[in-house]
Amino acid sequence: MQDQYLDTLEYPKILQQLVEHTAFSASRELALALRPVADVETVRHRQQETTEAKDLLSTRVELSVGGARDVRAQARRAQLDAVLPAEDLLAIDNTLRAGRELYRKLAPLDEEAPLLADKGGQIRPLHHVIEEIERCLDADGQVLDSASPELARIRRESFTARERLLERLRRLVSSSDTARFLQEPIVTERNGRYVIPLKVEFRGRIPGIVQDQSSSGATLFIEPLATIELNNHWLELKIAERHEVARILRMLSALVGDEADNINNNVRLLAEIDLALAKAHYSYALNGVEPALTDARWPLSESPLPPHEHPVHLLKARHPLLNPATVVPIDVYLGGEYTVVVITGPNTGGKTVSLKTVGLLAAMHQAGLHIPALDGSRLPVFSGIYSDIGDEQSIEQSLSTFSSHLTHIVDLLDKADERSLVLLDEIGAGTDPVEGAALAQALITEFLERKSLTLCSSHYAELKVYAFSTPGVQNASVEFDVQTLSPTFQLTIGLPGRSNALAIAERLGLSESILEQAREMLSPEALGADVLLENVRNASQAAEVAQRESEETLARTEALERELRQKLGQIEEARRQVIEEAREQGRAELEQMRQELRSWRERVTAQGTKDRGSGESLQEMMRVLERMEEQVQPIEPVREPRTAPDTEMQVGDRVYVPSLEQEGQLQEIDGDEALVSIGGFRVRTELDRLEYRGRGRPKDESPPETPIRRAKGPAPSMELHLRGMRADEAISAVSKYVEEAYLASLPWVHIVHGKGMGVLKQVVRDQLRGHPLVRSWRPGELSEGGDGITVVQLESVE
């Protein structure tokens, strides 16, 4: 990726915006040095790192490198036995503390953010260095008394000596014998020694050494002879203090020098982590997304493909350097059945912006930055991004616009291959239109044969016809509103643009006679093509409107269906509860009758033991009561009567699956196992667990659709959490959960598997592909939990 092509796309301005989100100089250097790469695994690694940082910031907004500084130069000096000043030691302390904090926060996140956790885990906390610096220095860089016992002793003695000295001087200036000789009754300091202010005319009245004189010459600052020894003692202690402080700073510097390599490595890791956080913050600022990574192979098909299947598919892509409130998003897709797109349209209509948008987003993607587009966007990894955009006349080199463009094109022709992205603005412009159009067609043909993905803009009508008639080349246009005389900046792939020159001239008030002459000079083919193009454009717009209306109608219908299905489910549940309550009430009444019968029997038995004369009549009563009790049976749930088959169960028979409380059709018998079709899905179970319901239809007659009844019991949760499970456990849990959710008529569910290394996510999504009960699935949106969940839409229970 050469800088000259990135400069043309204004990529350095992207880096300047990224730098604003960095926290210290080391990460700023990394941001400014960030360049797109052509290695697929490196791009995937960079994008994953940005996504991990963005996900972490969504729940840990305080995550940062704190007060880190680039202290690698200080560490290297300490390694060379230099004594670092206190402020450098404090900067090292702050940096090590920031690293220790990130180590504590990131190292445990190997499942949630494996790449950042790996970087955080490589940080060396260096607790002993932090503790020693903070034991010796305060927050202002002053050496603490606790730094050494010797320093504490010296400072105690220094304080005492100073107090004695000041007390002696205070008595001297307050004495009535000397007060009249002083300018003021104060004690001050000159040349590091305490003195008193003597009036110059009283020189010699107080014996001492003159240390200084006022600027006016009226005052002498003398050190009285009586305090010289006290001053000397205090100064000796101050010198001893300075020596001890220097020794402590030397000791701390040596400690830093011993750990210089680890400190330098920590700064590097902090810079890399801060760059990842800066990319995440920049993604939030752009409302960016991570594009899906596609294979760099094209064309994929000779027949038209849906936009989302093209290797390049940018949804509502926005130029990242334009005002997001006013920029018009564009949809771009190529690489499916065509590898070249020719954009035509009026000047200032957005052709160049469209080219730069595609180029910038491709460069950002390969640099590990999220792109300002919608989820679902796709990009490959290009071997090179080559652009010739803008007017670069050079007076110094005597190059015209045409020569300048052609020089760049010759250069990129030496480099572009089948995995390259080529962007050409106003191809063939700046020379004779006939020759320029021919040259443009020849260049497009060359890039088409090379299979380079190519976007180019032009005004040449010949290129529109060429794109229509050449396989692998597609027209595109930017719109212009003739009524407002302003571009709409909307990009439409599939239709060529119109110059609108005559329409604009008419709108601006040019004479009708001149316009009529101009129209007469145009060839009938040109006029007919213009009318045909307008008709095609109108038909395309009408089709888009009809499609949108159809999609809105379908969405409303599906919503109404879900609502009705939910209401029917609630009605069915209410009906089941009413029946169950009635049954429970009947069971309770029968149980009460049994209790009464038992009580009567006990009383009759007791009476029979007391009066043996009436034994026969009592025994008759017992037999009647026993017959009544035998006739009172529990109310059983209503089921279809079972009819025993004449022979063994065979394929096609109607059977009942008790574990699912559903009826289906026997599809296959494999030894002791059976495969049963229930509604839209099949279930495998043991053959002896099935209940026969009736003989099936003949093989040549299609079986009726078996309705599925809701399962009894409470509906499952709308979310299934798999984090912490092994792959085999997750497969079993998903299979059971999907069946339960389907039988409970849930329209959609969330499967929470987390991100981590992506193993659980891959296992879950592989299992969902082709599952008969799953209509569709998609990764979660940011508000739903991002790629850490999968949203599953289930088939409807008919």
Side-chain angles (χ1 to χ4, degrees), residues 338-374:
Y338 53 85
T339 60
V340 178
V341 172
V342 180
I343 306 175
T344 51
N347 285 326
T348 70
K351 300 190 299 295
T352 302
V353 170
S354 297
L355 294 180
K356 285 189 173 182
T357 299
V358 175
L360 262 182
L361 267 57
M364 292 172 64
H365 169 234
Q366 292 180 217
L369 299 172
H370 286 179
I371 63 173
L374 295 185

Side-chain angles (χ1 to χ4, degrees), residues 221-503:
F221 295 98
I222 71 166
E223 179 183 1
L225 291 177
T227 62
I228 288 178
E229 287 301 323
L230 292 175
N231 248 326
N232 288 342
H233 181 58
W234 176 66
L235 286 176
E236 288 171 0
L237 291 172
K238 296 298 289 183
I239 293 171
E241 180 183 355
R242 286 198 298 270
H243 288 167
E244 182 62 14
V245 166
R247 186 193 67 79
I248 293 169
L249 294 179
R250 189 179 301 109
M251 178 269 295
L252 294 176
S253 299
L255 184 61
V256 169
D258 291 341
E259 298 290 353
D261 292 339
N262 285 330
I263 292 173
N264 291 337
N265 187 58
N266 282 3
V267 172
R268 176 185 63 81
L269 292 169
L270 286 172
E272 292 175 0
I273 293 171
D274 187 52
L275 177 60
L277 295 175
K279 291 190 294 182
H281 284 296
Y282 189 42
S283 177
Y284 276 118
L286 291 177
N287 196 19
V289 299
E290 177 186 352
L293 192 59
T294 58
D295 290 334
R297 294 180 296 105
W298 44 72
L300 299 180
S301 172
E302 295 182 357
S303 57
L305 291 176
H308 68 272
E309 294 185 9
H310 286 249
V312 173
H313 182 214
L314 299 175
L315 283 168
K316 303 301 178 187
R318 307 179 305 280
H319 193 293
L321 299 177
L322 299 180
N323 186 347
T326 58
V327 65
V328 177
I330 60 173
D331 292 337
V332 181
Y333 45 94
L334 73 157
E337 69 275 16
Y338 53 85
T339 60
V340 178
V341 172
V342 180
I343 306 175
T344 51
N347 285 326
T348 70
K351 300 190 299 295
T352 302
V353 170
S354 297
L355 294 180
K356 285 189 173 182
T357 299
V358 175
L360 262 182
L361 267 57
M364 292 172 64
H365 169 234
Q366 292 180 217
L369 299 172
H370 286 179
I371 63 173
L374 295 185
D375 269 328
S377 296
R378 296 154 48 93
L379 279 172
V381 173
F382 296 105
S383 61
I385 301 173
Y386 305 105
S387 59
D388 175 47
I389 298 175
D391 185 359
E392 296 187 10
Q393 295 190 62
S394 174
I395 297 176
E396 294 178 354
Q397 300 180 18
S398 301
L399 294 177
S400 65
T401 299
F402 175 74
S403 299
S404 175
H405 281 297
L406 200 57
T407 301
H408 290 160
I409 291 174
V410 169
D411 181 65
L412 65 86
L413 278 171
D414 292 336
K415 301 179 176 66
D417 58 22
E418 71 278 0
R419 292 180 55 239
S420 299
L421 174 65
V422 178
L423 307 167
L424 303 174
D425 191 24
E426 299 296 347
I427 183 172
T431 187
D432 177 76
V434 176
E435 293 184 354
L439 181 60
Q441 291 184 45
L443 288 170
I444 291 175
T445 302
E446 174 65 21
F447 289 119
L448 181 64
E449 292 175 353
R450 293 191 184 196
K451 297 183 180 179
S452 300
L453 283 190
T454 306
L455 284 89
C456 55
S457 66
S458 176
H459 284 289
Y460 293 136
E462 293 87 344
L463 292 187
K464 303 176 187 178
V465 178
Y466 173 80
F468 267 127
S469 58
T470 306
V473 185
Q474 181 64 280
N475 272 304
S477 61
V478 288
E479 303 293 335
F480 189 89
D481 191 334
V482 178
Q483 299 301 319
T484 62
L485 298 180
S486 61
T488 65
F489 301 106
Q490 293 178 342
L491 179 67
T492 303
I493 294 181
L495 294 176
R498 302 172 59 192
S499 67
N500 296 296
L502 297 182

